[in-house]
Each structure stands twice: as C-alpha cells, then as structure tokens.
Amino acid sequence: MLVALLLALAAPAHGDAPARRAAVIFLSFDQDVPGLHELVEAVTAGLRQESHAPLDLFVEYTGLDRFSGDEYEKILVSLYQQKYSTRKIDLVVAVGPAALDFIVARKVLPHVSIVSCYVARRFVEAAKAQRPELTAAMPSQNAPKVIELMLSMFPRTKRIHVILGASEYERAQAAAGKRIFASFEGRVELTYLNDLTLAQVEARLAALPDTELALYGSMLRDASGQDFNTNEALQRISRASRGPIFGLVAEDLGDGIVGGYLLSMELSGKAAAELGLRVLKGERASAIPMMVEAGVVPLWDFRELRRFGIRERDLPLGSQIRFREKTLWDVWWREISAGIGLILVESILVAALIAQLRRRKRIERELDAQKTRYRTVADFTHDLEFWRKPDGSFEYISPSCERITGYPVAEVSKDPHILQERILAEDLTAWKEMQGKALAGTQQGPIEIRFRRPDGEVRWLEQIWNPVRFEDGSFGGTRGSIRDVTARKQAELDLKRAYQEIAALKDQLEAENTYYRGKIQSVEGASELIGDSDPMKYLRFRIGQVAPSATTVLIQGETGTGKELVAESIHRLGVRSGKVLVKVNCAALPHA
C-alpha cells in the first residue's frame, strides 16, 4: 500500500502530460536500397529517443523511383489524404529529391513544416521557394573531393567512368555531375555509364586500361529496365573490373568499392533528426538554418586495397581501413573474451527485448494501412503479385495475371488450381515441393518453371514466395510474385549457342593452322649448316647470339653462299620458331 501511494504521488497529473505528436517520413526509394535503411533508422531513432513528447511516426515509401505519371501521383495524394485527414501531423521528413518534389508540387499536408534529407541544395532551394516552412540537412558534396583523391593516387589517369543507373533519379545525378565536375575539364575526361545494361558495364570495366578508373555512384536500374534494390550490381561490377572502383557512400564499403572520402548515410539521418526535433519543440522551420552535413571520412576496404596492390602509406591521413584480415591474436582474443561476454548476456537480452517491443509497436501502427498500400502499388506492377491463404484460395491477384498466364483474375480466383495444372510435368514436382514449404510458413524461391498458356505457348516463369504473418503471429498464407522471364531464357539459350559456334570455329581454325604449318614445313624442309671448320663454328656462335633476341638481323654474302640457310637457322632457334617463316625474293619485285 505504501509503494502504491508513493507511485501515485510521484506520477504527473494527466493535464500536465505533453501533447502527443505525429511525424511522417516520405521516402523516394525503397529501404532495400543500400544505405537508405541506415538513414531511416537514424532519423526514426533520433526523433523517438530525443522527443520529450509521445511521438507517432509513420514511414511512407512513395514508389516514385519506379512509377511515375500524373495518374499514379494522384492516387498517392488520395491515399495520403485518406490516411492523414483525421490526424494532426506536426512534421514531414522528405528523404530524396523525388519525395520532396512530390510533396511540394502536389501540396501534400500543405500546412506542415518540412525537413528534407539527402537532397541537393538546388532542389532544396527550389522547394523552399514554394514551401517556405522548410529546412534541410543537405549531404556533403564529397564527389569532387573523391575525384581529386583518385587523381592524386593515380596521376596517370586520363579517364574516369562514373557508374550510374538509368533511373530518372540517376539520370538527374549524371546531369548534375557534369556541372559539379566542370572544374576538372582539361585534366581528366569523365564519362557517364547511364545508358548501359549491367552486363555492358561489366564488359566495359573488364577491359579497363591502366590509365582509366571508375567511380561508383549507384545503380537502382540499368538500361534494360532491371531494378536493383541491393548492392548486387556493385558486387558484380567489382568482380568484373580490371581496376579499382572508388565510391561515395560509406554503406557501399564491403560490396566492391576500394574506398574514398565516403559519406555516411547514418550521419545524414542523424542530422535530419536533429532538425526535426527542433521543429517538434516549436521552432519554425523557416527560421532554422539549413545544415551542410560534414560526415565524410576516408574509408577503405582492406581486401580491395590488397587486390589492386594499393599501399596503405599512399592513403590520405586519417584513413580508416575496414575488413582487415584477423591475426592469430585476434582469433584467440575472441575465444578468451567469450567468457567475459557471458556476463553481458542478460543485459543484451533485455536490450533485444526492448528493441523487439518497439518494432512490434511500429508494425501494429502500419498494419492497418498495409493492405491498402500493397494493393495500390501491386495493381501497377508488371509482375503477377498474389496473396494465397493457407486453405489454397486467393486473397488477392494483381491484374497482370491475364497478361502473364492467359487466364483472367476471376477465373483463377474461382479455380485456384488452374495455374498448377498448366505447369509442365518436368517442373511440377519441384514446384509442388517449394509450394508446400511456402504454405508451411517458410520463404521460398526463386524457382523457374515452364508454363503452358491456354493458347499452347510455353513461357518461362520465375516465382518466389514469402510468408504472411499477422500481428498476433498467426500464419496468413503466402505472398508471391511471378515474373515472365521467357525473353531472358531465350537470350541465355542464344548466347549458349553462339558460344558453341565460336568454340567450333576456333577448333576448326586451330586445326587448319596446324595443317597448313605442317604443309609449309614439308615443302621447305629442314635446313642445316654442315661443317666443323673455324669459320663455320664462328657462324654458329653468332647465330646463337642473335636468335633469341627480337632484333632485326642483316645477313650479307655473295650469291650462293647460304644466306637463306642462316636465316632459317636463326628462325628455328628464335622465339618465333613455332610460326611460319615467309621468304621473299626481293630481286623479283618490280621497281616502284
């Protein structure tokens, strides 16, 4: 009773509790884009941990990096109006130029202050002219500094390839780069690889000469339209590259860049959170000076340094090296410290529990809007998207179903097994096995199967499954995606046939070369210098001196003294003995 009384006296009055606040984060890119997850985590953690009032935080992926057009943006505006028309929003955080431009141009939450993050100064100033209540945490312009570093480390460089994808955002980045790098004109040539597929970029860097380097910006989409939400593109490019690839973002380190003056996305997110907290505490966004985030550090990947023979002493002062190989001491130290780590297990478990509770609350807040958001985006996808319940029936099928399978959505919903019946027998067993595992609640795929459409055409399809879990942890079926990859499979078959034809032609050419060399040798016969006199021994000595070299040899002597035999001996003992000796009768050539 005494403890309860003390707690009641210590608790603040209900009227004194700080008013609940709400903020919305609008993203230009999916959080799977390398570095963006760390940025968003830094923003959300900074706002939650430092806010003195309870804070409802919503994260909205706009999809503007993949979808565009007036109709799509109108649907997004309608969706956000329905979601937030009954709530008081105190802060908007716009991550990336596409989201900021959308919010300003479409007047989303028009009376709410904006904090922009990861947006260049010119885009921020253009937006501020329309929405004065705006401040920004602008990323440091580290690209020129990285170019200077590349030229100082490799002074023989004549050309730098700037690797950027073919999305609208990356094309805008390339246009901005031409303006930012104008000061390097005359010192080095800069080329932008926006209009290439990933395979073409790999081929270009595989033939990189010693006087050329590469600078990786990003590749969200290549020229063929293939999207990359992870650093798969960078990893493939790095494996193919003949020279080191420098970078701009710290989160790319470890996936193939050698390093550089790298910008930390996490530090950018913390800067944005700091500005957002000032807005939530009552400051006007227009009165808060914009921040130029200076979180640039020279970071390097030890494995890439060793791969390209770059010495640590040639790196700039203050450089930090990651992924260094562990020494024997490091290995044993971890074993020894494992005992000490047991003492911290209880603290770690408590911290993990708190993190899990926070994550659960965030999922609960987003769950109500998840179905609407999913349907809005899925209806516009090129692939067949579906949600299949545990009983085998479909909760949702995207309109792309008829284009890919030849069956209307209504027909597939009525008979959920109709698609399974059209899978070729050779692929059906593997598909059923993965389908069973998916319905058991495990993520499966991708798997490639052959599917016979109603018109008889056989198409290659790629399918993946992901389990659906409700907020109480119960299993809600599987969410899957089916993509038509027939064109890719045909291209692979064509490429394989082309390789086989090239190999056959190569073998034929080698056989013909061997045949004709044998014919020539049989006609010319072997040539020998016979005799043991002192002049003959001296002649053999001089032939042995010049034969191994690549120099030109002048043989003088009267007609019939054996100059041709000397030439044949030099050829036979020289480095080109495996090639044909071509003889020319200069006396038979006509005068010019």
Side-chain angles (χ1 to χ4, degrees), residues 85-98:
S85 60
T86 59
R87 301 188 66 97
K88 180 182 181 300
I89 303 300
D90 303 285
L91 173 66
V92 167
V93 179
V95 180

Side-chain angles (χ1 to χ4, degrees), residues 192-206:
Y192 297 84
L193 307 184
N194 290 96
D195 298 317
L196 301 179
T197 64
L198 176 56
Q200 290 172 328
V201 175
E202 290 178 284
R204 181 74 63 86
L205 296 189

Side-chain angles (χ1 to χ4, degrees), residues 30 60-67 72 75-76 79-80 369-385 396 398-400 479:
D30 190 281
E60 300 285 359
Y61 166 48
T62 62
L64 293 169
D65 59 331
R66 300 182 183 177
F67 309 100
Y72 178 71
I75 293 174
L76 281 183
L79 173 64
Y80 296 147
Q370 183 177 3
K371 184 175 180 180
T372 301
R373 182 167 63 248
Y374 170 79
R375 187 179 294 272
T376 299
V377 176
D379 283 349
F380 285 89
T381 60
H382 192 70
D383 301 336
L384 194 167
E385 306 288 341
Y396 170 79
S398 69
S400 300
R479 177 225 183 266

